[in-house]
Amino acid sequence: MTRSSAREIAVHIIFSLGFDHRSAQEILEAELTRERFQELAEELPLYAQFPNEKQERYIRELVQGVFVHGPELDDCISRYSVGWAFARIPRMAAAVMRTAMYEVLYMPDIPNAAAINEAVEIAKKYEPAEVVSFLNGILGTFVRTEFEDTPPKPEKKETVPQEEM
């Protein structure tokens, strides 16, 4: 299993937090079992391989961290989602953004660009293109605004056709 797959599994569990009255720990105990992976693997190839110890720690850290810092992460999403009320954001997109923002804020070993790129790739599997663009914009603006050491986004250069030069 790759870190990308572990991250996507964490996003699935984070998504489920919004529909469940149990704590993150209780949900993790129910979802991170070989038996549960075997059940889910029948429908989702993502669950074909059970995480190793390092991947399981990573999944647990993401889920528990997002659970604990949920209000703070949702506040960040709200601040940067200009023109969209938080309630209007699809739940899967919110779960993906919470995960990426948690990685950016609390997991210094993960580069900000990697957290954003992975979030966009996961979102592409579950959301329409306009939601993916919206999510990418929020995460990019969040990182550029909150972290001064992040280089600015390169400006697009207009290309001039050869014959006009």
Side-chain angles (χ1 to χ4, degrees):
M1 173 181 293
T2 64
R3 179 173 270 205
S4 295
S5 295
R7 182 181 283 110
E8 188 172 351
I9 289 167
V11 167
H12 285 191
I13 297 170
I14 290 164
F15 174 80
S16 73
L17 288 173
F19 299 98
D20 205 308
H21 63 281
R22 297 177 293 173
S23 71
Q25 185 61 36
E26 291 169 321
I27 292 172
L28 284 164
E29 294 307 316
E31 296 297 318
L32 280 180
T33 66
R34 291 188 184 279
E35 295 78 22
R36 182 67 177 140
F37 268 64
Q38 287 173 340
E39 289 172 20
L40 292 170
E42 293 174 16
E43 294 179 36
L44 297 167
L46 176 65
Y47 291 88
Q49 185 180 7
F50 192 74
N52 66 30
E53 196 174 312
K54 183 178 179 182
Q55 294 156 343
E56 187 174 340
R57 272 196 315 272
Y58 173 69
I59 292 167
R60 287 180 181 279
E61 180 178 350
L62 279 176
V63 173
Q64 291 170 332
V66 169
F67 182 77
V68 169
H69 293 279
E72 171 194 357
L73 299 170
D74 290 353
D75 181 59
C76 285
I77 294 169
S78 293
R79 278 187 287 144
Y80 291 101
S81 60
V82 179
W84 283 53
F86 186 82
R88 190 174 154 223
I89 298 171
R91 288 183 181 203
M92 181 54 94
V96 170
M97 286 189 281
R98 287 175 183 132
T99 303
M101 286 181 170
Y102 180 81
E103 287 181 316
V104 167
L105 291 168
Y106 297 103
M107 299 178 87
D109 59 316
I110 298 175
N112 294 347
I116 293 172
N117 290 339
E118 290 287 330
V120 169
E121 291 306 312
I122 292 170
K124 285 178 183 177
K125 296 179 181 181
Y126 303 99
E127 298 293 349
E130 63 272 8
V131 174
V132 174
S133 294
F134 169 74
L135 175 145
N136 188 29
I138 288 176
L139 293 175
T141 302
F142 163 72
V143 168
R144 284 189 304 278
T145 304
E146 299 293 324
F147 300 92
E148 295 171 3
D149 59 344
T150 302
K153 196 174 189 177
E155 302 222 5
K156 290 184 179 177
K157 296 179 182 176
E158 290 189 37
T159 57
V160 180
Q162 283 296 70
E163 53 274 352
E164 292 182 20
M165 292 179 86

